[in-house]
């Protein structure tokens, strides 16, 4: 049984508590830290916490607590992690790990030097559909991965601090792009080095200093491309989609919004429908088990099992640091309008990878470009002459 201190009583802290109390059952949130007394008391009442305080260190250091869950604004993550390291408490932190790679690297080093368990709560890398897709990719069903694309768009976050660039560290790119970058890293291979980023970002709608819309490409050392699309200006709910393309196949995933559960209502008696839903009437898109479908159950199960087994979880502080480094490059690119390098002073993956050869031999004289059966029943191949470079097609018997 894990006895957990929740840092933060807001939207994400409550989502986390619902999951922790839901799947394994034996794990409990026993303590809550919130900046306001009334918020701490309300959370403690709702989730049966015996310990509450408005002093973060008091909650972290409490002898009944053996793991700390950070569900705080981004600018408070580092202080919380350093206190966990000080008091030798296992820690799991919401995304993004830091406001930038420098913060994330300091946090990673702190937990490693303290010798404590640390996990990165990247829930969208634990959704049931993602886990199934990743298993297929690892088993070779798609061949060599060429392109991994992830999209997260919605009308904007719930809490005021997200909209403050100083507290949050950025806008929708940091808030949502962290999910998308890590999804692509998993499909391409987390041991494959990201090398450079090209990004467009703008503030199109919201009266804020940070970006509310962004698109980026991430080049990897083996020639693969990651792509993300993020927005706080999308109308209609929350849109979570992933696409993976390989030499032998393709996967499309729709995690939210249009997943086969649709409902029409006049709005009478309707209340909460789904996260980021903009309406309670008309055609709506509920989610069957929101906590599970967004990955929270599998995420916490992995974190707790890993801590008990003395192994690393699937998502670590190191992963959070790499994600922050990629997003740092994206922010620089949005300013310079150029490809910007991903700066990784600590890299633990493979080195010196080269793009794999794309040439497929048809026979000793030709490379195969494509083989197909046409609408009129012809079985044909398109070939490239190895010596002359000439391209031709040939009908097969």
């Amino acid at each position: 049984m894990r006895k957990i201190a929740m840092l933060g009583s807001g939207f994400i802290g409550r989502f986390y508590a619902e999951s922790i109390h839901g799947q394994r059952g034996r794990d409990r949130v026993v303590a809550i830290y919130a900046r306001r007394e009334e918020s701490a008391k309300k959370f403690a009442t709702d989730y049966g916490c015996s310990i509450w305080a408005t002093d973060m260190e008091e909650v972290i250091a409490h002898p009944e607590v053996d793991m700390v869950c950070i569900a705080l604004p981004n600018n408070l993550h580092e202080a919380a992690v350093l206190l966990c390291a000080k008091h030798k408490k296992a820690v799991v932190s919401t995304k993004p790990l830091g406001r930038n790679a420098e913060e994330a690297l300091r946090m990673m080093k702190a937990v490693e030097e303290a010798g404590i368990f640390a996990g990165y709560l990247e829930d969208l890398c634990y959704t049931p559909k993602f886990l199934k897709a990743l298993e297929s990719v690892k088993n070779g069903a798609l061949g060599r991965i060429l392109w991994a694309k992830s999209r997260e768009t919605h009308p904007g976050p719930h809490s005021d601090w997200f909209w403050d660039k100083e507290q949050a560290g950025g806008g929708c790119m940091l808030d949502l792009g962290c999910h998308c970058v890590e999804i692509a890293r998993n499909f391409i291979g987390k041991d494959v080095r990201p090398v450079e980023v090209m990004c467009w970002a703008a503030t199109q709608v919201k009266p804020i200093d940070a970006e509310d819309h962004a698109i980026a490409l991430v080049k990897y050392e083996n020639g693969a491309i990651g792509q993300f699309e993020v927005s706080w200006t999308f109308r209609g709910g929350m849109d979570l989609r992933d696409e993976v393309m390989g030499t032998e196949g393709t996967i499309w995933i729709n995690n939210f919004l249009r997943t086969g559960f649709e409902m029409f209502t006049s709005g009478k008696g309707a209340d909460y429908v789904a996260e980021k839903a903009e309406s309670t009437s008309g055609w709506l898109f509920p989610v069957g088990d929101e906590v599970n479908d967004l990955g929270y159950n599998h995420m916490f199960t992995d974190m707790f099992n890993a801590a008990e087994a003395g192994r690393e979880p699937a998502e670590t502080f190191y992963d959070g640091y790499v994600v922050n480094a990629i997003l740092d490059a994206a922010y620089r690119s949005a300013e310079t309008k150029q490809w910007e390098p991903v700066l990784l002073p600590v890299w633990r993956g493979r080195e010196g990878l080269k793009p794999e050869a794309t040439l497929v031999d048809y026979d000793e004289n030709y490379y195969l470009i494509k083989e197909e059966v046409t609408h009129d029943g012809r079985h044909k191949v398109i070939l490239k002459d190895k010596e002359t470079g000439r391209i031709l097609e040939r009908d097969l018997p």
Side-chain angles (χ1 to χ4, degrees), residues 178-383:
C178 59
H179 289 305
C180 301
V181 164
E182 188 63 355
I183 287 167
R185 283 188 69 231
N186 272 274
F187 285 132
I188 292 169
K190 291 202 288 187
D191 59 347
V192 181
R193 187 173 192 135
V195 291
E196 56 182 348
V197 181
M198 171 62 79
C199 177
W200 168 88
T203 309
Q204 292 189 309
V205 176
K206 308 294 185 182
I208 58 174
D209 295 329
E211 76 289 345
D212 61 16
H213 195 173
I215 302 171
L217 296 175
V218 183
K219 283 185 186 177
Y220 286 81
E221 196 173 44
N222 67 347
I225 286 285
Q227 179 179 340
F228 67 76
E229 303 170 1
V230 294
S231 179
W232 283 346
T233 69
F234 177 79
R235 304 307 302 269
M238 183 159 67
D239 186 12
L240 301 177
R241 284 180 279 161
D242 305 323
E243 299 177 28
V244 194
M245 183 180 75
T247 55
E248 303 300 326
T250 302
I251 290 174
W252 293 345
I253 302 173
N254 191 336
N255 281 305
F256 223 78
L257 191 62
R258 301 301 294 269
T259 61
F261 185 172
E262 302 183 16
M263 173 179 72
F264 180 87
T265 174
S266 66
K268 291 184 178 180
D271 190 9
Y272 181 84
V273 176
E275 184 183 347
K276 307 297 191 305
E278 290 199 273
S279 175
T280 55
S281 64
W283 279 107
L284 306 175
F285 311 103
V287 178
D289 184 346
E290 199 162 336
V291 169
N292 190 66
D293 289 349
L294 286 173
Y296 296 111
N297 288 342
H298 292 86
M299 176 178 71
F300 280 111
T301 298
D302 177 47
M303 294 294 160
F304 299 152
N305 287 344
E308 290 173 4
R311 62 168 174 84
E312 287 192 336
E315 294 293 326
T316 67
F317 271 29
Y318 172 74
D319 293 314
Y321 150 69
V322 175
V323 168
N324 269 126
I326 292 171
L327 291 174
D328 283 357
Y331 277 108
R332 291 195 303 273
S333 175
E335 291 292 328
T336 66
K337 315 301 182 188
Q338 304 290 329
W339 285 95
E340 289 288 340
V342 178
L343 304 178
L344 286 166
V346 176
W347 171 248
R348 295 171 178 171
R350 290 184 286 172
E351 297 279 4
L353 294 179
K354 302 291 184 184
E356 294 184 34
T358 60
L359 302 176
V360 177
D361 284 324
Y362 180 72
D363 57 27
E364 62 180 10
N365 298 314
Y366 297 100
Y367 295 118
L368 176 66
I369 294 177
K370 185 180 182 183
E371 183 173 358
E372 64 182 349
V373 176
T374 65
H375 69 285
D376 57 355
R378 294 165 56 213
H379 186 190
K380 72 172 187 178
V381 290
I382 300 176
L383 307 172

